[in-house]
Amino acid sequence: MTILPVIVLCALVLVAAYLVYGRLVARWLGLDPNRTTPAVANDDGNDFVPAPAPVVLGGHFTAIAAAGPVVGPILAGLAFGWVPALIWIILGAIFIGGVHDSGSLLASIRHNATSITQVVRRHVSPTAYFTFLIFVWMSLLYVIVAFADVTAGSFARLQQLQVSVDDRPMDIRINGGAIVVGAAAYLLFSVIMGLGMRLLRIPWWALLGVMVVALGLVIHHSPDLARWLAAHGLSFLDTGPEGTADRQKAWALALLAYCFLASIVPLWLLLQPRGVIGAAFLYATLVFGVVGTVAGGFGGPDGSLAIRWPAFGGFLGDKLGGPALAGAWLFPFLFITIACGACSGFHSIVSSGTTCKQVRSEADVKPIGYGAMLLEAMVAVFALSCVMVMAPGMIQGRPSPDGIYARGIGNFMAQVGIDMTFAITFGLLAFSSFVFDTLDVCTRLARYIFQELLGIRGLAAGAFATLASLAPPALYLWSSPPGAFFNFWIIFGTSNQLLAALTLVGVGVWLWRTGRPAWFAILPAAFMLLTTGTALVLNFLAFLRHYRGLLSPEDIAQKATPLLVNMAIAATLFALGLLVVVEAVRVWLRVRAAALPVVRDDAPAAGA
């Protein structure tokens, strides 16, 4: 069987969920199209800019659908099989992720476009607010570490991928230097596009067409360009099996340096045009996925889209998927590994950071908040399909999510006659572009949170906050062996899902205090708290067992510090999350005992 029936069924279920459950969520939230939104009331042409729903949806979608819905489903599918991963992606997005995203977006809009932390501050307590701020900041640091590590790995190593071309196995070697060349061109063309729009007033769509064509040419010739540059002085572009560890650490620090620059340069110079080009990559991969699936599903040139991977890998992480999740229990690790593909706390920061300042009508919350989450679920389904078409035994050692994703995208593109080497290089660069988007946004948001914690403002304060937010990831990546990403992804997924649970708690308390149904937010919050709390405890115990198992001085010198850091952070995240929940319960009991009246209106937008 090919993946075509699976893809079609998933798409139909998600569309039906948007039309049916999405409408119910909108009713329970109490969306009011006649209410003035902050974007309209505070329109200043800079931060508050009301825009049509499709425009806001595009920007919001590209901000939330980065590398998370690619990496998580691939790792979970490798370890537990594609059926449980697929079920959680669909059900999680419909009943938890969509509620989380639309609820946090509306909560922010109803509180004059302030962040979700301010919602917690008003409806829970100042203690919960401060605790929540620290939790959000630490979660963002985990995102930075996880994605900097996996991207540095794709830059530093030589990847050998086995694919099927004309029904014959074929080995394709992609030098990490080629990915570096493509990524550098991606950023350079973003700056050129920004300058063209700002200084020359060239329409963005005209520049986008030119940049995409130019970038396509660079991708096509990137292996040759990397070899030529390596032969003329840039030897670090000549990746090989030796020295990979040092190169990976160096690339990780280089990426953090990029994050610092990207967080302080004007938005129009890099981040905005890069987002437009990155969106083009995202939509292109979806188009290739759809077209390739249809072509391969009805025969295709080589039958490479047949389902080969086991449907179920067992209740313990299957060894077929490599050691990343070997021996991990399906509950809770399936849920926190998939992370962004089904639900993501990071989305609430985006919703209450930039998206809420652009929504011109509360009626748009449904397509932007709920709809974008279902679109991201479809991205996760395509990422999982890259695992489904692989044969067992193709994974040797630790799996490479970027390589698996690139191989899958290459298979999709090959169905319509595109050269496989170009297609796989395109897939690797598309993955890197998603990660750049995530790293940019997370660094900037971490700076905002750090400044809010200390109450500091200004350019110098922003630079200090950025350095303070990048210092812990830099120390961890430099002191840890390459591949820390695999251990870190579990902690990242746990912190991200716990952030989503705490956001749902805040949204639920807000809905309850304003006289609206809250169960559809509280029940998902309870499930997420159960899974993430269990995962944090199991992670702590696993790290402790590993630490006690270190015998040689060499092992202690190389591995003790990362293990101790992970244990400390797991314990801290558990304590912070528990404190927020305890504060919410305490406030609920106090308000209920005092029989306080329902809050009739939630801090209306200025001018409403």
Side-chain angles (χ1 to χ4, degrees):
M1 183 178 79
T2 71
I3 61 173
L4 178 60
V6 177
I7 299 294
V8 171
L9 178 61
C10 290
L12 292 176
V13 170
L14 291 174
V15 170
Y18 177 79
L19 296 176
V20 178
Y21 197 67
R23 180 177 298 176
L24 291 175
V25 170
R27 181 188 306 168
W28 293 329
L29 287 174
L31 300 184
D32 183 4
N34 298 318
R35 182 185 174 92
T36 304
T37 64
V40 174
N42 305 323
D43 185 2
D44 60 5
N46 185 21
D47 293 326
F48 291 84
V49 182
V55 174
V56 183
L57 172 63
H60 180 77
F61 181 43
T62 55
I64 65 171
V70 173
V71 176
I74 286 176
L75 291 179
L78 291 173
F80 302 110
W82 61 268
V83 168
L86 189 66
I87 292 173
W88 170 238
I89 288 171
I90 300 300
L91 296 182
I94 293 172
F95 295 107
I96 301 181
V99 172
H100 168 275
D101 290 14
S102 52
S104 60
L105 177 57
L106 181 65
S108 179
I109 290 172
R110 290 288 181 90
H111 290 77
N112 203 23
T114 56
S115 72
I116 191 66
T117 60
Q118 295 296 333
V119 178
V120 172
R121 182 177 192 172
R122 181 178 181 198
H123 293 280
V124 183
S125 70
T127 301
Y129 158 74
F130 187 76
T131 304
F132 199 41
L133 273 181
I134 298 175
F135 185 93
V136 171
W137 185 71
M138 292 181 65
S139 298
L140 290 171
L141 300 192
Y142 262 92
V143 178
I144 294 171
V145 170
F147 289 129
D149 189 45
V150 70
T151 308
S154 68
F155 285 177
R157 66 177 178 268
L158 177 69
Q159 299 205 42
Q160 296 179 276
L161 306 173
Q162 187 182 79
V163 296
S164 176
V165 178
D166 296 330
D167 210 21
R168 298 191 307 273
M170 176 181 178
D171 290 325
I172 293 182
R173 296 160 60 92
I174 303 293
N175 192 304
I179 309 305
V180 174
V181 169
Y186 168 58
L187 297 178
L188 175 62
F189 292 159
S190 297
V191 172
I192 293 173
M193 183 174 177
L195 292 171
M197 290 190 299
R198 181 80 171 188
L199 302 180
L200 302 179
R201 305 295 180 183
I202 302 175
W204 68 268
W205 50 266
L207 283 169
L208 178 62
V210 174
M211 295 302 108
V212 168
V213 171
L215 193 54
L217 292 174
V218 171
I219 295 172
H220 181 68
H221 296 288
S222 59
D224 295 330
L225 287 171
R227 284 191 292 268
W228 185 86
L229 291 171
H232 289 78
L234 301 181
S235 58
F236 60 87
L237 295 177
D238 184 18
T239 58
E242 297 180 0
T244 301
D246 291 337
R247 276 200 303 269
Q248 185 162 339
K249 289 184 177 183
W251 277 120
L253 295 181
L255 285 168
L256 296 184
Y258 160 77
C259 289
F260 176 79
L261 293 175
S263 71
I264 61 175
V265 299
L267 290 174
W268 61 264
L269 181 61
L270 176 62
L271 298 191
Q272 287 180 344
R274 191 225 57 220
V276 173
I277 298 177
F281 271 99
L282 180 60
Y283 292 132
T285 55
L286 284 175
V287 170
F288 284 131
V290 172
V291 175
T293 300
V294 172
F298 289 108
D302 54 22
S304 59
L305 297 186
I307 296 177
R308 297 181 176 89
W309 196 259
F312 182 59
F315 291 99
L316 292 177
D318 195 278
K319 62 183 180 180
L320 290 174
L325 286 169
W329 288 96
L330 185 145
F331 178 87
F333 291 106
L334 169 72
F335 307 97
I336 63 170
T337 301
I338 289 177
C340 310
C343 181
S344 171
F346 175 67
H347 295 184
S348 67
I349 306 176
V350 176
S351 296
S352 63
T354 55
T355 304
C356 60
K357 298 177 176 65
Q358 303 174 65
V359 177
R360 67 178 183 180
S361 170
E362 286 192 2
D364 296 341
V365 168
K366 179 187 172 185
I368 295 169
Y370 196 83
M373 183 63 243
L374 299 190
L375 281 175
E376 181 165 2
M378 203 64 213
V379 174
V381 169
F382 277 116
L384 182 62
S385 70
C386 296
V387 174
M388 295 164 63
V389 299
M390 293 195 311
M394 292 186 65
I395 300 295
Q396 302 296 329
R398 282 189 164 181
S400 168
D402 54 333
I404 292 171
Y405 179 71
R407 178 191 178 279
I409 294 298
N411 271 336
F412 288 132
M413 297 172 71
Q415 307 305 312
V416 291
I418 297 176
D419 176 72
M420 183 64 79
T421 302
F422 170 83
I424 290 180
T425 306
F426 173 88
L428 287 171
L429 182 56
F431 181 88
S432 298
S433 72
F434 301 161
V435 175
F436 277 127
D437 293 349
T438 303
L439 290 173
D440 290 347
V441 174
C442 283
T443 303
R444 188 173 290 268
L445 291 174
R447 170 165 69 86
Y448 291 161
I449 295 295
F450 195 85
Q451 287 184 259
E452 187 174 350
L453 277 169
L454 299 184
I456 55 178
R457 298 179 180 274
L459 181 61
F464 169 74
T466 303
L467 288 174
S469 299
L470 290 176
L475 289 173
Y476 187 94
L477 289 169
W478 183 253
S479 62
S480 301
F485 150 76
F486 289 98
N487 293 326
F488 228 74
W489 184 266
I490 300 300
I491 297 291
F492 153 69
T494 306
S495 64
N496 189 43
Q497 301 300 79
L498 184 51
L499 174 57
L502 298 179
T503 297
L504 285 167
V505 169
V507 170
V509 172
W510 162 64
L511 291 171
W512 170 68
R513 294 198 66 185
T514 52
R516 281 168 284 179
W519 63 268
F520 70 101
I522 294 298
L523 289 181
F527 176 77
M528 299 300 290
L529 287 171
L530 176 63
T531 57
T532 54
T534 305
L536 283 173
V537 172
L538 292 177
N539 274 322
F540 182 86
L541 295 176
F543 290 138
L544 183 60
R545 286 194 300 270
H546 194 177
Y547 178 75
R548 288 176 174 174
L550 299 179
L551 300 176
S552 67
E554 293 78 11
D555 278 349
I556 294 175
Q558 294 179 6
K559 301 177 182 179
T561 299
L563 286 171
L564 288 173
V565 169
N566 279 327
M567 282 192 291
I569 292 180
T572 302
L573 291 175
F574 183 84
L576 291 173
L578 182 62
L579 181 58
V580 173
V581 174
V582 169
E583 281 292 299
V585 172
R586 185 182 66 82
V587 169
W588 178 72
L589 292 175
R590 177 174 57 83
V591 172
R592 186 181 180 188
L596 295 179
V598 170
V599 179
R600 295 186 59 189
D601 203 356
D602 319 297

